[in-house]
Amino acid sequence: VGGSDNNGNIDSEFVNDITLSLSQGNGLLTTATGFTKAPITGIANWNDLKYNSAGTLRILASSTGVNQVLSNVISVLNDSTSVVSSSASQPAAIGISSLKAFPAAAVEILRFRINDIGETDDLPTIVKSIKISRAEITDAASLTKTIGGVFVKANGNPVGISEPDIKTNYFTFTVNENTLVAPNGGFVDVSISIYLNEEGLTDNQKIQLIVDTTNHGFTIYPSGSMFNPTFPMQVTSNIFWIDVAASQIKFASIPIRVGVLLPFNITINATDLNNNTDKDFSGSVSLSRLTGNGILVFPAGSTIAIAQGNSIYSALTYSIPEKFSLLASCPTLNNIASPLITCGDSDGGIAAI
């Protein structure tokens, strides 16, 4: 700021103190060297002015004996240099039991670090929303069908988040304000844990999560530093897989009505308690008539192997019209009775009398 004539020419002999003050703006204007300075050859310089809020401001300069002058509108933007990087280690790859389908059973699956570079704004990075994507690997699980819930920790402490919006290949959530904060010039370590849906899981499908470098979906609350549009590296978890362990057999497909001596099919699966199929199960199942007086015919035999978690009885027939039921048994699992099946002729009709 300098003393000048009406045409803007600097008066190099101007020596009156010049004082700066904030004229417009809601933030705090600071300087380590003071707001009042004596000009040198007519000009006073401030090289350390700082403003603690994003937005706009105007600065008023005043000195005795001359008119006050108001600066143009100055726009202040927070740093946009915050980034995400990988943590020192990732959770070890494990099979996630299909029974881990409640919050207390959540499994840690991904770690990353949020870094506030701390260039000029002296502000922390206050995280608002996070996007976690699926790595596109062979036999990747649908996140929608697989993930039942998400938990987040910051430096080991739980963080409040919204209900996650879970899509096939990514999920997002909003963080409660001021609960996930990287201090100015510092970092915060973040941990992501998940638990599974109860049903609809596919045994041995894989889960690998990433934080993308571009289109990363990380956003901030406006009172802090902003994220760089591009992160320096992709953060990648180890590969986890869904582990279904059979504890029962179930009738997966069974008719409610069949015709006399007409073929019908029945499917029996080896499943966990939530009816997810165990594709690794090795064993056999036997089928027999439980109730009824007819003859049940098995073209391929009454005992068959369970392969990929299921066994299919094809072209069974029943000999008389009545209601009957079946019993399925497995040497290493349970026995289970079927619902009643109605066997009846399909050529009946109504006639006038």
Side-chain angles (χ1 to χ4, degrees):
V1 181
S4 69
D5 62 18
N6 291 333
N7 295 321
N9 299 302
I10 297 296
D11 179 1
S12 61
E13 297 175 347
F14 182 78
V15 294
N16 295 344
D17 287 349
I18 299 174
T19 299
L20 301 184
S21 61
L22 181 66
S23 175
Q24 296 179 20
N26 297 318
L28 178 65
L29 182 68
T30 60
T31 172
T33 55
F35 286 105
T36 299
K37 291 187 178 184
I40 299 174
T41 61
I43 296 175
N45 291 299
W46 281 265
N47 298 316
D48 61 349
L49 291 174
K50 292 183 179 181
Y51 192 67
N52 72 344
S53 176
T56 60
L57 72 148
R58 299 184 78 179
I59 297 174
L60 181 69
S62 58
S63 183
T64 58
V66 294
N67 294 331
Q68 295 178 329
V69 62
L70 190 63
S71 73
N72 292 327
V73 175
I74 301 169
S75 295
V76 178
L77 301 177
N78 292 347
D79 291 342
S80 58
T81 55
S82 298
V83 295
V84 169
S85 62
S86 186
S87 294
S89 65
Q90 290 294 332
I94 60 171
I96 303 176
S97 168
S98 59
L99 300 181
K100 291 186 178 294
F102 51 96
V107 174
E108 185 187 22
I109 195 169
L110 177 67
R111 298 176 192 147
F112 54 87
R113 175 171 288 181
I114 298 174
N115 304 273
D116 183 287
I117 304 303
E119 287 193 339
T120 59
D121 63 13
D122 285 336
L123 296 174
T125 301
I126 307 171
V127 180
K128 181 177 182 180
S129 62
I130 286 177
K131 176 184 175 183
I132 304 296
S133 300
R134 178 186 73 174
E136 298 303 325
I137 57 176
T138 302
D139 211 17
S142 163
L143 302 184
T144 307
K145 296 178 180 179
T146 302
I147 296 178
V150 177
F151 286 105
V152 180
K153 289 185 177 181
N155 293 335
N157 299 311
V159 172
I161 66 171
S162 67
E163 186 73 20
D165 182 17
I166 305 175
K167 307 297 186 183
T168 298
N169 58 359
Y170 70 90
F171 61 86
T172 59
F173 54 85
T174 300
V175 180
N176 294 347
E177 191 168 2
N178 293 317
T179 59
L180 182 53
V181 179
N184 182 57
F187 61 85
V188 60
D189 287 317
V190 181
S191 168
I192 304 292
S193 298
I194 65 169
Y195 60 92
L196 304 180
N197 288 320
E198 289 188 356
E199 297 183 332
L201 303 176
T202 301
D203 195 21
N204 299 320
Q205 280 195 332
K206 297 176 175 60
I207 305 172
Q208 186 177 37
L209 301 181
I210 62 173
V211 176
D212 280 320
T213 55
T214 58
N215 299 317
H216 49 68
F218 279 60
T219 67
I220 53 91
Y221 287 97
S223 54
S225 300
M226 298 182 290
F227 282 107
N228 192 308
T230 303
F231 293 158
M233 65 179 69
Q234 178 176 283
V235 180
T236 306
S237 77
N238 285 312
I239 298 175
F240 296 74
W241 64 95
I242 300 169
D243 183 16
V244 180
S247 59
Q248 62 183 0
I249 54 174
K250 298 280 289 186
F251 284 97
S253 175
I254 187 168
I256 59 174
R257 184 179 180 89
V258 298
V260 176
L261 296 177
L262 293 178
F264 61 93
N265 301 331
I266 287 176
T267 302
I268 298 171
N269 288 355
T271 74
D272 65 10
L273 293 175
N274 295 326
N275 299 321
N276 299 297
T277 300
D278 180 0
K279 291 189 173 184
D280 301 321
F281 182 79
S282 177
S284 62
V285 62
S286 297
L287 192 64
S288 61
R289 187 194 68 206
L290 179 61
T291 63
N293 299 304
I295 298 173
L296 181 64
V297 176
F298 303 87
S302 61
T303 299
I304 61 176
I306 299 176
Q308 290 290 303
N310 62 69
S311 54
I312 301 174
Y313 288 88
S314 300
L316 305 182
T317 59
Y318 196 70
S319 62
I320 61 175
E322 65 172 359
K323 290 185 178 181
F324 68 100
S325 64
L326 306 174
L327 178 69
S329 58
C330 175
T332 56
L333 299 176
N334 62 315
N335 298 340
I336 185 170
S338 77
L340 286 173
I341 303 170
T342 298
C343 180
D345 290 328
S346 59
D347 57 356
I350 299 175
I353 56 173

